[in-house]
Amino acid sequence: MTTIWNDLLNLFDPRLCQLCKKTLLPEERELCLHCLCDLPRTYYHRRDDHPLLPIFAGISSFRHVTAFLFYREGGCVQSLIHSFKYRGNKQLAERLGRMAALELKADGFFHDVDVCVPVPLHRRKQRTRGYNQAEWIARGLAEVYHYPVDTQTLVRAVDTDTQTHKSAYERRMNVAEAFRLSRPEQFADKHVLLVDDVLTTGATLLSCIDCLMRIPRISISVFTLAFTM
């Protein structure tokens, strides 16, 4: 009966791939297998010299950083991110986070993380959007790695302007002192994985790290779903 009901639903409201718009097979979710395989992966976690490392160079408590996909203007990754960031498809963010985690975990990356921390939105922006897309990416990671996800300790205290169209310096100034800690003792002696959707200049993540580094003996790593070339 369940199969018949699903077939009827697909007849009137077909499940389509987010990218190619072909009908999904019953075992496929959000993206068809072909589009999943064709996503432009960075594989930065397998390299010792990738371009994200200089962004965080010199931070004593910093451990690892990687981005899962390349982001290009008008490309497929932009389409996916706009879908979960602006069109309410938070399940897609979770799905992509889970897919990234499966590949990273298979290579032994981020194996010693204690807690996953999505870059927070200001409460006003989260209320308007209804959710934090970084949190849903983090949920996908946590499902595979079995990390706890903490959304309470790192707080966005300032509702900053959008970073789009700002220079690297303007981005850094825009988010300076934007974050605060509500219960820093939670992260003492912990390896914290910061999670965000897209890394461009790293200004937001660096501001988060500035805040977190006030915590004794903390270690910090970064995962972003995509990196802007």
Side-chain angles (χ1 to χ4, degrees), residues 55-62 117 119-120 153-155 163 168-169 171-181 184 187 192 194 201-222:
I55 296 173
F56 305 96
I59 300 174
S60 59
S61 58
F62 198 78
V117 178
V119 170
T153 302
L154 183 65
V155 178
Q163 299 281 65
Y169 174 77
R171 286 169 181 258
R172 193 76 170 101
M173 292 301 99
N174 187 46
V175 292
E177 304 298 325
F179 301 93
R180 64 175 176 82
L181 297 167
F187 290 167
V192 173
L194 273 173
T201 65
T204 300
L205 288 160
L206 287 169
S207 184
C208 289
I209 291 169
D210 286 344
C211 187
L212 289 169
M213 283 181 63
R214 301 165 191 165
I215 300 172
R217 301 172 303 280
I218 192 171
S219 297
I220 302 168
S221 290
V222 166

Side-chain angles (χ1 to χ4, degrees), residues 137-216:
I137 296 168
R139 288 187 187 190
L141 291 168
E143 184 176 328
V144 173
Y145 280 104
H146 307 294
Y147 303 146
V149 176
D150 185 304
T151 60
Q152 303 299 316
T153 302
L154 183 65
V155 178
R156 192 162 198 145
V158 179
D159 190 9
T160 54
D161 297 333
T162 178
Q163 299 281 65
T164 306
H165 307 307
K166 284 183 166 59
S167 69
Y169 174 77
E170 289 169 338
R171 286 169 181 258
R172 193 76 170 101
M173 292 301 99
N174 187 46
V175 292
E177 304 298 325
F179 301 93
R180 64 175 176 82
L181 297 167
S182 66
R183 44 177 193 175
E185 69 280 358
Q186 298 290 323
F187 290 167
D189 299 296
K190 294 291 198 304
H191 183 183
V192 173
L193 178 62
L194 273 173
V195 177
D196 207 359
D197 52 359
V198 181
L199 191 157
T200 303
T201 65
T204 300
L205 288 160
L206 287 169
S207 184
C208 289
I209 291 169
D210 286 344
C211 187
L212 289 169
M213 283 181 63
R214 301 165 191 165
I215 300 172

